[in-house]
Amino acid sequence: MKVLVTVKRVIDYNVKIRVKPDGSDVDLTNVKMAVNPFCEIAVEEAVRLKEKGIASEIVVVSVGGSEAQEQLRTALALGADRAILVESTANTESLNVAKLLAKVVEQEQPSLVIMGKQAIDSDNNQTGQMLAALCDMPQATFASEVSVADNSVTVTREIDGGLQTLSLQLPAIVTTDLRLNEPRYASLPNIMKAKCKPLATVTPDDLGVTLSAHTQLLGVNPPPQRSAGVKVKSVAELVDKLKNEAKVI
Amino acid sequence: MAILVIAEHDNQQLKPATLNTVNAASQLNQPISILVIGSDCQAVAEQASAVSGVDTVLVADNAAYQHQLAENTAKLIAELASDFDYVIAAGTTTGKNTLPRVAALLDVAQISDIVAVKSADTFVRPIYAGNALATIQSLDSKKVITVRTSAFDAAGTDGSATITPCGLVHANAQSEFVSEELAVSERPELTAASVIISGGRGMGNGENFSLLEKVADKLGAAVGASRAAVDAGFVPNDMQVGQTGKIVAPDLYIAVGISGAIQHQAGMKDSKVIVAINKDEEAPIFQIADYGLVADLFEVLPELESLL
């Protein structure tokens, strides 16, 4: 079966972000970029399905500027077979990304779509669910275990109270949580091989999608900072402070 | 202009997250209805009718909604949304699972995890794991919103809304509930507790969490954990506080053997008072703690328990 995986180019998770002095957005100039960690887990899961002989082809898709080719090549080096870049930098909010992906899904007809549950830049946690709605497919978000059998996929999900297991009819959409797997590192030979794997570029026009803005970013501010308080010397002093100074116990 | 708030519940109990969500919704100064979707959920409807500031409770009570799976509940919410300008849910795993699906069916954006209401169409929400706050204006006529419940107080429960049944049924042939493993605890829920004591990798193993539990029982506190402790297999994932776990803001947060990685801080830094207990005085958690105690947690915890 064919598996479609999505990746997003985001700021590397180790980078401490800065807000631009004019408060218009986060400063991304000269910042290290990487594959969104949840997307990396999605790629890894697809590759494991291929290694088990369940997936026959892995198509990786990204929506973004031409520089997102770098992240698509990373996914190819990890084991995806071919890549599609939907080149679009304007209005790339979740709903629009989902609309573009829905067209790709229509063309590619995958049996399973695996996506990260959220991107670590916008933290929206929306695109997978929106794509599922637009394609009228079942969804299993926040997956910590995925097993495919015949015409269905059984997914264990991390929910607030614990774990929930669902069975979905294929085609279906799964979004990954952190504990689904631990992504591998790409080997040098695989990085070299990835350079020769096919990478197609399409535009929203090619897909017949017109994107309009649904939200407007008015400004970005740093959050209020907490400062370090006092060090106490003993447990007795701590209990005393909590009782008589902070009055929280 | 009216607001539809989606109730968070388990068919028996209305979850406290709903109260915080209603309070956030009330800042829009519009009539509020609560929608209860479930099966045999009349008790929840009655609890919802007591939430202050709510005019109407709509109850879609049908076996098809027993596990509140997104495939059909999203269709129901989208259909009912025609009478409302806002659809708002708590940013819990249920809300996060369902509401984007509703937004896509309505062809509108979703504003996720708001922490403040600026005006009828403008909201503040954290981005980059809470390292920045974005002010976002919705350009859609209908607004679909999830609420970070820790950023809003709970609404009162002295209301008396009318309960109206909603007979719309959407079947779900696409997905099926298989099983659930829910943690059972006598202690308060993490997201509703006023005191939380959390353990990290420094706890060493899962058995040692009993040291935290003893202190928690003295304080009426919930017990949480860092991602490191969950990943190490000490405790289950539902105890995780942090960017990818639960976001909490209790009156008192006691971090024990937690170094304070950015991703943990993202889940607890809005707590009113933070206490850090760690033997490593360089641990980043001390930079945000109101009270720090550099000491061995295995000596501190029994002493703390005896002094409370």
Side-chain angles (χ1 to χ4, degrees), chain A residues 10-11 13 15-17 19 25-26 28 38 93-96 98-99 117-142 144 154 156-171 177-179 213-239 241-243 245-249, chain B residues 8 67 69-71 75 91-94 96-105 107-113 122 125-140 173-183 195 219 227 230-231 237-240 243-246 251-252 254 262-263 268-275 277 281 286-294 299-301 303-304 307-308:
Chain A
V10 297
I11 199 162
Y13 75 99
V15 174
K16 191 163 166 46
I17 61 132
V19 172
D25 205 340
V26 167
L28 294 182
F38 291 103
E93 46 194 302
S94 309
L95 179 63
N96 287 334
K99 285 182 180 179
K117 75 166 180 178
Q118 71 188 66
I120 59 164
D121 50 3
S122 53
D123 282 338
N124 275 315
N125 196 332
Q126 299 173 356
T127 310
Q129 297 89 312
M130 288 179 160
L131 179 61
L134 298 177
C135 299
D136 196 25
M137 283 187 196
Q139 68 184 49
T141 50
F142 328 140
S144 64
T154 304
T156 302
R157 309 175 54 227
E158 297 200 358
I159 60 169
D160 285 336
L163 298 170
Q164 180 190 60
T165 304
L166 301 178
S167 170
L168 312 180
Q169 298 289 317
L170 296 179
D177 217 319
L178 279 177
R179 276 172 282 271
H214 292 268
T215 57
Q216 193 179 353
L217 181 64
L218 300 183
V220 174
N221 297 299
Q225 290 300 319
R226 268 194 107 99
S227 49
V230 296
K231 290 261 169 68
V232 293
K233 295 213 165 45
S234 67
V235 179
E237 188 188 349
L238 175 65
V239 171
K241 295 260 191 204
L242 291 178
K243 270 190 181 144
E245 193 177 270
K247 295 187 169 50
V248 284
I249 58 171
Chain B
E8 174 91 15
H67 298 289
L69 302 183
E71 288 76 8
K75 283 180 184 159
T92 54
T93 47
T94 313
K96 286 176 178 172
N97 185 47
T98 310
L99 233 55
R101 202 165 169 124
V102 175
L105 292 175
D107 194 26
V108 301
Q110 173 182 295
I111 315 283
S112 292
D113 252 347
T122 305
R125 59 177 303 267
I127 54 174
Y128 292 91
N131 288 306
L133 293 170
T135 304
I136 305 244
Q137 184 178 26
S138 163
L139 306 176
D140 293 312
Q174 295 178 304
S175 70
E176 200 183 321
F177 173 87
V178 177
S179 63
E180 213 160 53
E181 278 173 55
L182 297 183
V195 180
L219 291 168
R227 184 183 157 197
V230 175
D231 283 356
N237 70 288
D238 56 275
M239 287 173 65
Q240 185 180 332
Q243 169 63 11
T244 54
K246 299 205 171 51
D251 293 337
L252 173 61
I254 306 174
I262 278 289
Q263 102 72 45
M268 45 65 81
K269 67 182 164 54
D270 293 327
S271 306
K272 275 203 198 104
V273 174
I274 296 175
V275 171
I277 299 168
E281 63 179 321
F286 287 118
Q287 289 162 20
I288 61 160
D290 299 283
Y291 301 105
L293 177 56
V294 181
E299 287 163 21
V300 169
L301 288 173
E303 191 181 345
L304 184 58
L307 286 176
L308 290 169

Side-chain angles (χ1 to χ4, degrees), chain B residues 75-93:
Chain B
K75 283 180 184 159
L76 173 69
I77 297 168
E79 187 176 351
L80 291 171
S82 58
D83 295 333
F84 296 89
D85 303 290
Y86 297 89
V87 177
I88 307 183
T92 54
T93 47

Side-chain angles (χ1 to χ4, degrees), chain B residues 136-166:
Chain B
I136 305 244
Q137 184 178 26
S138 163
L139 306 176
D140 293 312
S141 59
K142 230 177 255 304
K143 292 158 187 43
V144 175
I145 296 166
T146 60
V147 172
R148 177 160 294 186
T149 53
S150 61
F152 296 90
D153 292 334
T157 49
D158 56 356
S160 56
T162 45
I163 300 179
T164 312
C166 161

